[in-house]
């Protein structure tokens, strides 16, 4: 019996996962999204629960490593895709997503009541559902008030000034949408290319390291490897809400902060119009939107959505939207230039 | 008389056997070994003695020639069908099997039941003085004990032909003497057609009924012939 | 005709085709249009140069450390060998992100050790070398250690009796016996370091240190520029091919010692010199390997209570079951290839089988996953929630290691064993089932554990294919980190480490 047991276990493990799941069901909606939406405390699960309750149809969430990978998969699948919705397209990807011509415009009425700040273009290809302000977070105990005092008027000053201390960690714009949004923010903050280069060349020595993703950067920050981390203003809310920890603060610029907006897009080839409409309506409904802060740790796109106290107490900076979308070529050129600026002084 | 089944007596004949790779070939014109006799093969290192045995056993492909046992052409058969037992210089015991398991291996291949395997194997263990080692594993045996297990394994299956490639080289003088005596008796009793390769002149002197010398892959002479 | 050989040939051939076709599809994209690649060739050259430079240096450093550790563990029977053996297994399979953060936790500016050395500069070459050392010393430790364990000591005894001191004995006798495994380990580690990603990004400190894999990541996951990805992957493959060639020929080169070195060696007397080597090696082992692991335990241990037992059990179950599937597939493929390499008559075929079996080392999961999806997008639908895609990629990832395990074991079965069995009437299938498989039991267990280990620590393939939200420990860790839950992520890292240690402990106790 003992000799047979390993084989039984092996066969069980084999056939346990053998069954194929079909995505093609008329009473289900297939949503491509990124992995952070999944899991019990993920926003995806919240959406799924509400959608299935309200409509009686199934919501199948198909996760990918990142929103970019979800988009890539759609490009690979083309018109044969079984996806109905792409959830999680953000401002750094919107131009590439547009260029694929895979998405259909969304009806106007769904955009009503949304915060004007949460804007992903006038063509109505992407329905915003949340947004966040990029900001530098610091630990109150590590930086004295003196070092942080004096409201810096803009990001440029932060990058080029000698104080505060030089240990900053950011996410890599080549591998992180947050990192790229930050790069765009610096571009908006500088009036010309020369100034941008100067800013980055002066900023580079302050960087402890550049992490591949937000989580890598934030992890290093929490370990004390850096005094500043590029994140969102809502990071403070997380520490307040979950840890009852008031030690993390936000550096606010008078000029404003870059914005990252997340949206949902409808796949042109999908025939499930009614279900899609129901889903999108729920996505921007108050019932769902009020659950966003404590799951996504972002602001809900719907105006006047009740916020938890930790969010209400957050500063409300001015939003800096990016003036124009970058073409693919311009995006690549910007990244190549950025590498040269940051590498030069290391 | 059918070749497979009961112990068979006859003559092992090798004719015009040619085997080898590019740089080295052996060619044996004519050898015959009768049941109950031992042919000794001597020669310097590298003369092709082991290659000859491997060719007879089927582990080397013949370029030309034939090997017969009585009327059966062995050269067309794969090694596992030739019914030729072989004992190497190193015992080559199966490390995952006990002594009894090793000896019973050939019987298990023939799909004998466990009880029959033990019935056939245990007398051989006793005959070779290794019955008390039945449950031990090869790594715990001495060289002499391991060699006796290898011999028992080769003989228990009842094949009519036995090849021995320096079987006693790992044994001390006293053990060798005993082993030679035992082998001679076994070959006589079981009427085996045996070929023995050895460097030790005493092995050849005491065991071989006929002796041929192999030099650069060819038989250069016969040292002792049965009258 | 050996039917088993035929069946295994079909299996190995099918696996090779499944591996090659998607890559060919990817590479044809690169070949069709080259003038549309608006890339800065100088940047590409710099990336390639750095990738090779860091891989070479990392292999060398890991080699010095790994060989020294192997020597003191297997030649001197020092206490704690089992602990080192298990840890060396585990380090290889841990997710890179958690290791990078653990290394920073020890060596960083605010780290346990780093804080005493202001501006220790862990972000740069030091960090990269430490990271690679942590992962790859085990390759040397296992391969070279195995060689040391199996070599007879009679030559050393003769050399000592003739008056040679320990250092001379080591260089002119012991090292000659193990140099093949040292060289093979060197090139294997070189290939692994070629596709390093997270370590270089986090510990490198900036885009100054950009490896090919970082560029490939950007090309595939961000830009979706498959042409560039194919070009870069081709370069990686080329290096692998060259490394493999070198590995084969260089291991035949005789390495002796020169008179000048001899003078230096004689200055190191037996005893004190050895003790110094032991002490330094142990010290580095503690600093480089043990401390980061302790850091992981300390940081994560306190947060384990925050994890739900249901989540832990669910994740454990999913991880183990997936891992077993991966292990079975990779072991079967590896066994087939090793069997072919052992039994095929043609030396050419044997060499190609060996090369093909280690080819997956040169292609990262990310590249292969992208190639697979581009070639057959419906692969994502295969099996329950795309898990077969995960199994294929992870199994191919484990294949080179499992192949090495089996081919080493096959080579140890003496020809006389085969001849004896055949002479006793064993057919090919009986030879396989009654001789080879029983003799390879330990290798099978080792291969299964290897496949399991690789699956437990792998993230890329799961993110690419698994779509239902099921999580292995690595994915769970990844998700927690994405939601600010770093304490919980560390706790999951501890659970992962603990699971791996248990698996290897079971394997070690079973083997002995």
């Amino acid at each position: 019996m003992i000799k047979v047991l390993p084989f039984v276990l092996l066969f069980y493990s084999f056939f346990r996962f053998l069954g194929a799941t079909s995505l093609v069901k008329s009473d289900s909606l297939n949503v491509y999204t990124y992995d952070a939406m999944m899991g019990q405390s993920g926003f995806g699960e919240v959406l799924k629960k509400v959608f299935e309750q309200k409509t009686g149809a199934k919501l199948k969430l198909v996760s990918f490593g990142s929103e970019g990978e979800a988009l890539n998969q759609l490009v690979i699948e083309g018109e044969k895709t079984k996806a109905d919705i792409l959830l999680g397209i953000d401002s750094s990807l919107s131009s590439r997503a547009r260029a694929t011509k895979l998405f259909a415009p969304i009806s106007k009425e769904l955009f009503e009541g949304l915060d004007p700040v949460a804007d992903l273009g006038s063509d109505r290809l992407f329905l915003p559902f949340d947004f966040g302000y990029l900001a530098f977070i610091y630990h109150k105990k590590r930086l004295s008030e003196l070092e942080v005092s004096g409201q810096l008027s803009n990001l440029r000053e932060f990058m080029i000034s000698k104080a505060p201390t030089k240990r900053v960690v950011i996410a890599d714009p080549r591998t992180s949408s947050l990192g790229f949004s930050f790069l765009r923010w610096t571009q908006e903050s500088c009036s010309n290319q020369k100034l941008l280069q100067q800013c980055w060349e002066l900023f580079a020595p302050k960087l402890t390291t550049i992490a591949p993703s937000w989580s890598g950067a934030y992890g290093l920050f929490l370990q004390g490897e850096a005094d500043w981390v590029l994140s969102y203003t809502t990071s403070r809310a997380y520490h307040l809400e979950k840890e009852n920890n008031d030690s993390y603060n936000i550096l606010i610029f008078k000029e404003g902060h870059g914005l990252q907006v997340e949206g949902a897009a409808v796949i042109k080839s999908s025939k499930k119009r009614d279900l899609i409409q129901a889903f999108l309506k729920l996505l921007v409904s108050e019932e769902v939107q009020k659950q966003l802060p404590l799951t996504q740790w972002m602001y809900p796109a719907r105006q006047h959505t009740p916020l938890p106290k930790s969010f209400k107490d957050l500063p409300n900076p001015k939003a800096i939207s990016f003036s124009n979308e970058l073409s693919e070529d311009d995006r690549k050129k910007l990244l190549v230039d950025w590498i040269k600026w940051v590498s030069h002084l290391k | 008389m059918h070749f497979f089944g009961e112990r068979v007596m006859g003559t092992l004949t090798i004719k015009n056997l040619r085997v080898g790779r590019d740089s080295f070939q052996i060619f044996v014109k004519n050898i015959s070994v009768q049941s109950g006799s031992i042919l000794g093969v001597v020669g310097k290192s590298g003369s092709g003695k082991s290659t000859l045995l491997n060719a007879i056993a089927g582990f080397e492909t013949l370029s030309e020639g034939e090997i017969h046992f009585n009327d059966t052409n062995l050269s067309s058969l794969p090694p596992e069908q030739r019914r030729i037992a072989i004992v190497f210089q190193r015992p080559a015991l199966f490390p995952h099997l006990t002594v009894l398991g090793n000896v019973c291996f050939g019987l298990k291949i023939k799909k004998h039941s466990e009880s029959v395997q033990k019935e056939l194997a245990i007398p051989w263990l006793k005959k070779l003085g290794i019955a008390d080692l039945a449950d031990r594993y090869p790594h715990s045996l001495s060289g002499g004990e391991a060699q006796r297990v290898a011999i028992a394994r080769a003989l228990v299956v009842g094949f009519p032909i036995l090849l021995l490639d320096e079987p006693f080289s790992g044994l001390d003088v006293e053990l060798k003497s005993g082993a030679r005596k035992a082998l001679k008796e076994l070959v006589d009793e079981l009427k085996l057609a045996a070929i023995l390769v050895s460097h030790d002149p005493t092995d050849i002197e005491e065991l071989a009924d006929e002796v041929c010398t192999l030099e650069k892959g060819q038989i250069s002479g016969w040292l002792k012939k049965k009258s | 005709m050996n039917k088993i050989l035929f069946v295994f040939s079909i299996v190995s051939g099918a696996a090779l085709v499944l591996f090659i076709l998607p890559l060919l599809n990817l590479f044809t994209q690169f070949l069709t249009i080259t003038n549309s690649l608006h890339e800065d060739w100088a940047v590409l050259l710099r990336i390639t140069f750095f990738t090779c430079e860091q891989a070479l240096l990392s292999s060398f450093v890991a080699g010095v450390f790994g060989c020294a550790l192997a020597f003191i563990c297997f030649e001197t029977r020092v206490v704690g060998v089992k602990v080192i053996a298990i840890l060396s297994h585990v380090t290889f399979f841990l997710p890179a992100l958690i290791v990078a953060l653990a290394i920073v936790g020890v060596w960083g500016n605010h780290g346990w050790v780093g804080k005493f050395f202001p501006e220790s500069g862990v972000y740069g070459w030091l960090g990269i070398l430490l990271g690679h050392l942590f992962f790859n010393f085990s390759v040397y430790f296992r391969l070279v250690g195995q060689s040391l364990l199996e070599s007879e000591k009679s030559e050393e005894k003769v050399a000592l009796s003739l008056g040679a001191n320990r250092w001379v004995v080591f260089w002119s006798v012991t090292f000659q016996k193990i140099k093949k495994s040292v060289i093979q380990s060197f090139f294997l580690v070189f290939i692994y370091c070629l596709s390093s990603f997270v370590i270089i990004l986090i510990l490198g400190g900036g885009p100054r240190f950009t490896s090919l894999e970082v560029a490939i990541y950007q090309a595939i996951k961000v830009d979706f520029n498959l042409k560039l990805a194919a070009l870069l992957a081709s370069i990686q493959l080329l290096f692998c091919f060259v490394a493999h060639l070198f590995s084969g020929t260089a291991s035949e080169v005789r390495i002796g010692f020169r008179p000048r070195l001899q003078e230096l060696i004689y200055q190191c007397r037996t005893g004190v010199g050895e003790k110094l080597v032991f002490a330094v090696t142990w010290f580095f082992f503690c600093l480089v390997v043990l401390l980061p692991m302790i850091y992981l335990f300390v940081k994560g241990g306190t947060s384990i209570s925050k994890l739900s037992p249901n989540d832990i059990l669910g994740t454990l179950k999913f991880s183990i079951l997936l891992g077993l599937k991966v292990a079975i597939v990779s072991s079967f493929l590896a066994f087939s290839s090793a069997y072919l390499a052992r039994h095929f008559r043609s030396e050419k075929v044997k060499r190609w089988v060996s090369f093909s079996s280690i080819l997956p080392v040169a292609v990262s999961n990310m590249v292969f996953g992208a190639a697979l999806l581009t070639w057959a997008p419906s692969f994502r639908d295969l099996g329950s929630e795309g898990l077969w895609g995960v199994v294929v990629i992870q199994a191919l990832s484990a294949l080179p290691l499992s192949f090495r395990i089996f081919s080493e074991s096959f080579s140890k079965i003496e020809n006389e064993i085969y001849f004896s069995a055949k002479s006793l009437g064993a057919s090919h299938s009986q030879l396989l089932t009654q001789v080879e498989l029983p003799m390879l039991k330990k290798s099978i267990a080792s291969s299964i554990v290897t496949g399991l280990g690789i699956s437990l620590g792998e993230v890329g393939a799961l993110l690419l294919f698994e779509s239902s939200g099921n999580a292995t420990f690595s994915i769970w860790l990844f998700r927690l980190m994405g939601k600010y839950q770093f304490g919980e992520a560390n706790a999951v890292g501890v659970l992962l480490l603990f699971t791996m240690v248990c698996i290897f402990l079971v394997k070690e106790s079973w083997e002995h």
Side-chain angles (χ1 to χ4, degrees):
Chain A
M1 180 61 197
I2 292 170
K3 281 185 186 174
V4 169
L5 199 58
F7 291 100
V8 171
L9 185 61
L10 291 174
F11 278 119
Y12 170 73
S13 72
F14 231 90
F15 294 106
R16 169 70 179 76
F17 300 118
L18 204 53
T21 6
S22 173
L23 283 178
V24 185
K25 282 187 183 150
S26 55
D27 60 342
S28 73
L29 200 66
N30 301 315
V31 176
Y32 281 13
T33 186
Y34 55 93
D35 197 73
M37 287 272 194
M38 312 295 282
Q40 278 184 353
S41 57
F43 180 60
E45 285 306 312
V46 166
L47 258 178
K48 184 175 156 86
K49 211 168 153 185
V50 173
F51 177 81
E52 289 178 352
Q53 226 168 42
K54 299 272 180 185
T55 63
K58 287 269 176 222
L59 185 73
K60 174 122 182 79
L61 291 166
V62 180
S63 72
F64 295 83
S66 66
E67 49 275 24
E69 286 172 68
L71 180 62
N72 294 343
Q73 183 65 17
L74 282 174
V75 171
I76 292 171
E77 291 173 357
E79 288 187 4
K80 289 185 191 161
T81 183
K82 293 176 190 132
D84 302 303
I85 288 185
L86 174 63
L87 183 70
I89 196 88
D90 68 36
S91 15
S92 62
L93 272 178
S94 54
S95 72
R96 191 150 77 84
R98 264 194 190 85
T100 64
K101 299 197 194 313
L102 286 171
F103 305 106
I106 298 169
S107 52
K108 212 173 173 181
E109 65 258 25
L110 289 169
F111 290 81
E112 283 163 18
L114 297 185
D115 196 323
V117 137
D119 178 28
L120 282 170
S122 54
D123 53 6
R124 289 186 283 115
L125 278 181
F126 310 114
L127 177 68
F129 65 87
D130 70 24
F131 65 94
Y133 297 98
L134 275 62
F136 282 97
I137 306 295
Y138 65 94
H139 192 290
K140 285 181 191 172
K141 284 195 181 138
R142 281 187 235 145
L143 289 174
S144 67
E145 282 305 316
L146 205 64
E147 285 171 298
V148 189
S149 70
Q151 284 188 0
L152 293 168
S153 53
N154 55 48
L155 177 61
R156 271 189 328 278
E157 282 183 34
F158 177 77
M159 287 173 81
I160 64 177
S161 64
K162 286 215 166 79
T165 183
K166 67 173 189 174
R167 302 194 318 161
V168 184
V169 62
I170 62 171
D172 196 315
R174 296 170 298 171
T175 54
S176 157
S177 64
L178 168 69
F180 187 74
S181 296
F182 175 65
L183 181 57
R184 288 284 277 137
W185 180 14
T186 61
Q187 199 180 34
E188 285 299 316
S189 203
C190 300
S191 51
N192 57 62
Q193 188 80 344
K194 201 171 171 188
L195 187 57
L196 181 63
Q197 178 178 346
Q198 194 187 18
C199 280
W200 272 105
E201 284 177 352
L202 288 170
F203 188 52
K206 295 182 185 171
L207 296 170
T208 304
T209 189
I210 300 174
S213 60
W214 168 85
S215 51
Y218 211 83
L220 288 170
F221 167 70
L222 290 177
Q223 278 179 218
E225 286 304 299
D227 303 312
W228 303 91
V229 62
L230 172 71
S231 185
Y232 303 91
T233 57
T234 47
S235 297
R236 175 175 156 77
Y238 173 84
H239 292 290
L240 280 170
E241 198 76 37
K242 292 286 181 181
E243 298 169 358
N244 206 20
N245 186 347
D246 189 26
S247 307
Y248 296 95
N249 218 348
I250 311 161
L251 182 66
I252 293 292
F253 303 122
K254 278 192 273 194
E255 187 185 69
H257 287 244
L259 205 60
Q260 196 170 34
V261 184
E262 267 190 312
V266 173
I267 314 299
K268 215 191 274 184
S269 56
S270 172
K271 308 261 185 291
K272 302 174 194 170
R273 293 292 158 189
D274 291 338
L275 277 178
I276 288 172
Q277 188 73 3
F279 175 84
L280 293 176
K281 211 169 169 182
L282 274 170
L283 180 64
V284 292
S285 68
E286 192 176 294
E287 185 185 357
V288 167
Q289 287 276 301
K290 72 181 181 198
Q291 303 205 50
L292 260 167
L294 299 183
T295 51
Q296 285 284 88
W297 301 99
M298 298 282 263
Y299 284 100
R302 171 159 288 285
Q303 274 182 312
H304 314 302
T305 304
L307 294 172
K309 187 176 182 306
S310 52
F311 271 69
K312 281 189 208 162
D313 293 343
L314 291 177
N316 224 7
K318 279 188 205 163
I320 295 177
S321 299
F322 306 136
S323 49
N324 59 310
E325 271 193 356
L326 283 182
S327 68
E328 270 306 289
D329 284 347
D330 286 342
R331 194 178 70 84
K332 281 178 196 170
K333 190 175 180 316
L334 177 61
L335 284 171
V336 169
D337 287 338
W338 173 79
I339 293 170
K340 287 178 186 161
W341 301 331
V342 176
S343 308
H344 177 65
L345 289 174
K346 279 274 180 180
Chain B
M1 187 181 289
H2 203 277
F3 182 64
F4 296 106
E6 297 284 316
R7 194 176 295 284
V8 175
M9 296 206 305
T11 307
L12 173 68
T13 322
I14 297 155
K15 280 192 177 128
N16 298 322
L17 183 142
R18 191 184 297 276
V19 66
R21 290 163 278 269
D22 317 299
S23 53
F24 179 74
Q25 279 199 343
I26 62 164
F27 176 70
V28 168
K29 207 160 182 191
N30 199 359
I31 286 178
S32 64
V33 186
Q34 305 240 340
S35 292
S37 70
I38 302 175
L39 168 68
V41 178
V42 297
K44 289 182 185 169
S45 297
S47 56
K49 306 184 295 297
S50 296
T51 309
L52 174 63
L53 289 193
N54 282 342
I56 296 169
F59 305 131
E60 296 272 359
T61 317
L62 303 187
S63 309
E64 72 182 76
E66 284 182 348
I67 306 166
H68 285 256
F69 184 76
N70 292 340
D71 300 323
T72 310
N73 184 358
L74 300 182
S75 23
S76 59
L77 296 173
E80 59 267 25
Q81 291 175 24
R82 293 192 185 195
R83 289 175 57 90
I84 298 176
I86 186 161
V87 177
F88 293 101
Q89 183 177 358
R90 289 156 58 90
L93 299 183
F94 306 124
H96 57 289
L97 298 173
T98 59
V99 163
L100 183 63
N102 266 277
V103 173
C104 292
F105 184 84
L107 302 171
K108 193 175 175 187
I109 294 295
K110 286 201 223 177
K111 300 200 193 324
H112 289 302
S113 68
E114 261 191 57
S115 51
V116 169
Q117 287 174 38
K118 277 189 180 160
E119 206 182 297
L120 292 172
I122 287 173
W124 280 104
L125 295 180
K126 285 180 180 161
K127 204 176 190 107
L128 287 162
I130 48 173
D132 53 339
L133 305 176
D135 294 326
R136 284 177 44 183
Y137 283 90
H139 65 83
S140 67
L141 303 177
S142 70
E145 288 166 344
Q147 200 60 297
R148 277 183 280 162
V149 174
I151 293 170
R153 182 177 65 181
L155 296 178
V156 76
V157 285
F159 293 164
I161 304 165
L162 175 65
L163 306 179
L164 303 136
D165 191 351
E166 313 236 21
F168 310 127
S169 58
L171 307 181
D172 62 38
V173 170
E174 214 174 290
L175 276 173
K176 264 191 200 181
S177 170
R180 277 186 218 118
K181 196 174 165 211
L183 181 67
K184 184 80 180 167
E185 283 170 8
L186 284 167
V187 169
D188 282 341
E189 184 188 324
L190 302 172
K191 300 293 174 212
L192 301 172
I195 302 179
L196 167 71
V197 161
S198 180
H199 277 126
D200 189 341
T202 318
D203 286 347
I204 300 295
E205 183 62 41
E206 289 191 13
L207 291 171
D209 299 301
E210 287 182 295
V211 182
C212 67
T213 314
L214 215 55
E215 201 178 308
K216 290 181 187 173
Q218 296 200 30
I219 296 178
S220 59
W222 292 87
L223 294 180
K224 188 161 114 182
K225 282 247 182 217
K226 214 175 183 178
S227 54
Chain C
M1 167 67 169
N2 185 344
K3 283 181 195 151
I4 298 169
L5 207 63
F6 178 73
V7 167
F8 283 156
S9 301
I10 299 289
V11 167
S12 296
L16 186 63
V17 163
L18 183 62
F19 180 69
I20 294 287
L21 276 183
L23 289 174
L24 270 177
N25 181 59
L26 188 70
F27 294 148
T28 49
Q29 302 209 27
F30 155 59
L31 289 171
T32 46
I33 312 163
T34 48
N35 59 359
S36 71
L37 273 175
H38 298 299
E39 305 305 330
D40 187 344
W41 289 102
V43 171
L44 271 176
L45 215 62
R46 187 162 50 84
I47 291 171
T48 308
F49 180 75
F50 167 72
T51 304
C52 291
E53 191 188 7
Q54 62 81 21
L56 276 171
L57 211 54
S58 300
S59 306
F60 178 72
V61 168
V64 169
F65 179 65
C67 289
L69 203 60
F71 188 79
I72 67 172
C73 285
F74 294 107
E75 288 286 280
T76 61
R77 291 196 199 127
V78 71
V79 169
V81 174
K82 246 193 185 162
V83 172
I84 296 172
I86 290 170
L87 285 181
S88 77
H89 280 303
V90 168
T91 56
F92 188 74
F93 300 114
L94 288 176
L97 184 57
I98 209 82
V99 168
L101 293 178
I103 287 175
V104 166
V106 173
W107 292 91
N109 298 324
H110 210 250
W112 286 357
V113 174
K115 66 182 173 204
F116 296 110
F117 304 95
E119 309 306 319
S120 57
V122 74
Y123 299 105
W125 273 108
L126 178 63
I128 293 172
L129 292 176
L130 279 174
H132 288 159
L133 182 59
F134 182 92
F135 279 111
N136 297 305
F137 83 93
S138 62
V139 175
Y140 285 94
F141 181 77
R142 278 181 282 133
L143 293 181
V144 174
Q146 197 64 27
S147 288
L148 285 170
L149 212 56
E150 288 163 3
S151 66
E152 287 185 26
K153 303 292 174 263
S154 30
E155 292 95 337
E156 278 89 341
K157 289 172 187 167
V158 166
L160 282 169
S161 71
L162 292 169
N165 69 29
R166 298 279 177 141
W167 288 106
V168 172
V169 169
F170 175 76
W171 281 111
S172 49
V173 181
T174 311
F175 190 76
Q176 301 311 312
K177 288 193 266 185
I178 63 170
K179 72 172 160 64
K180 188 174 178 183
S181 54
V182 171
I183 290 170
Q184 285 172 344
S185 305
F186 179 86
F187 285 107
L188 197 59
V189 171
F190 174 79
I191 292 167
Y192 282 129
C193 292
L194 273 181
S195 56
S196 180
F197 172 64
V198 172
I199 292 292
I200 287 179
L201 266 184
I202 288 189
L203 297 175
R208 180 172 62 127
F209 296 117
T210 297
S211 66
L212 279 169
E213 194 70 6
V214 172
I216 291 172
Y217 181 96
Q218 191 183 346
I220 287 180
K221 299 214 174 190
V222 182
D223 301 338
F224 204 54
N225 184 344
L226 294 182
K227 292 177 188 58
L228 178 60
L231 167 65
L232 296 170
S234 307
I235 297 173
Q236 262 187 346
L237 256 176
L238 182 66
F239 281 125
C240 171
F241 184 67
V242 170
H244 180 73
L245 276 179
F246 264 108
S247 168
T249 52
S251 56
E252 303 309 319
V253 169
R254 173 155 178 75
I255 301 174
F257 66 95
R258 287 174 248 140
R260 191 162 61 89
L261 183 62
Q262 191 176 4
E263 284 169 23
L264 287 169
I265 288 169
Y266 274 120
Q267 285 170 17
C268 303
R269 289 267 150 224
T270 310
V272 171
E274 264 181 335
K275 285 184 178 121
L276 195 62
V277 168
F278 290 8
V280 167
T281 308
W282 271 115
F283 180 68
F284 272 108
F285 179 77
C286 292
L287 271 186
V288 175
V289 179
L290 217 49
L291 265 182
M293 287 205 171
I294 294 171
Y295 179 88
L296 205 57
F297 268 107
V298 165
K299 285 288 171 180
T302 48
S303 300
I304 286 181
S305 54
K306 292 183 189 173
L307 301 172
S308 133
N310 280 342
D311 285 344
I312 295 174
L313 284 171
T315 305
L316 181 66
K317 183 181 160 193
F318 181 76
S319 302
I320 297 288
L321 288 179
L322 175 65
L324 280 175
K325 255 191 3 175
V326 169
I328 293 167
V329 172
S330 67
S331 299
F332 182 64
L333 287 176
F335 187 88
S336 307
S337 304
Y339 186 93
L340 289 178
R342 177 69 175 88
H343 289 291
F344 236 103
R345 290 199 178 176
S346 162
E347 284 302 317
K348 226 183 206 176
V349 169
K350 285 185 181 191
R351 270 200 292 274
W352 274 106
V353 167
S354 301
F355 176 66
S356 313
S357 302
I358 66 155
L359 208 55
V361 170
V363 181
S364 65
N365 287 357
M366 187 169 52
V367 169
F368 185 64
L372 201 56
L373 279 178
T374 320
W375 177 61
S378 54
F379 221 91
R380 262 193 134 254
D381 298 329
L382 267 186
S384 175
E385 280 105 18
L387 276 172
W388 278 110
V390 176
V391 170
V392 165
I393 294 183
Q394 290 182 353
L396 284 171
S397 189
L399 175 62
L401 293 172
S402 295
F403 173 76
R404 187 167 284 277
I405 292 168
F406 284 122
S407 66
E408 289 283 323
S409 301
F410 265 114
S411 67
K412 284 174 200 159
I413 303 178
E414 299 159 359
N415 281 338
E416 284 87 354
I417 299 257
Y418 284 111
F419 294 161
S420 300
K422 277 191 170 175
S423 71
L424 292 166
S427 63
H428 292 298
S429 59
Q430 285 169 327
L431 205 59
L432 174 66
T433 55
Q434 298 196 38
V435 179
E436 287 173 318
L437 281 176
M439 286 181 75
L440 294 173
K441 260 194 307 208
K442 283 184 186 173
S443 307
I444 292 171
S446 206
S447 171
I448 296 271
V449 166
T450 299
L452 196 51
I454 288 209
S455 176
L456 281 173
E458 203 273 338
V459 172
L462 275 157
L463 288 175
L464 203 50
F465 282 90
E466 205 287 317
S467 54
S468 68
N470 282 320
T472 57
F473 284 115
S474 302
I475 292 288
W476 192 12
L477 197 153
F478 181 82
R479 282 184 193 153
L480 285 169
M481 287 183 98
K483 293 175 190 167
Y484 288 97
Q485 291 166 283
F486 293 94
E488 289 88 327
N490 275 330
V492 172
V494 169
L495 287 174
L496 174 60
L497 192 58
F498 183 69
T499 307
M500 283 190 181
V501 166
C502 288
I503 290 169
F504 284 109
L505 261 175
V506 166
K507 182 203 156 230
E508 288 285 311
S509 64
W510 189 76
E511 271 186 359
H512 299 292

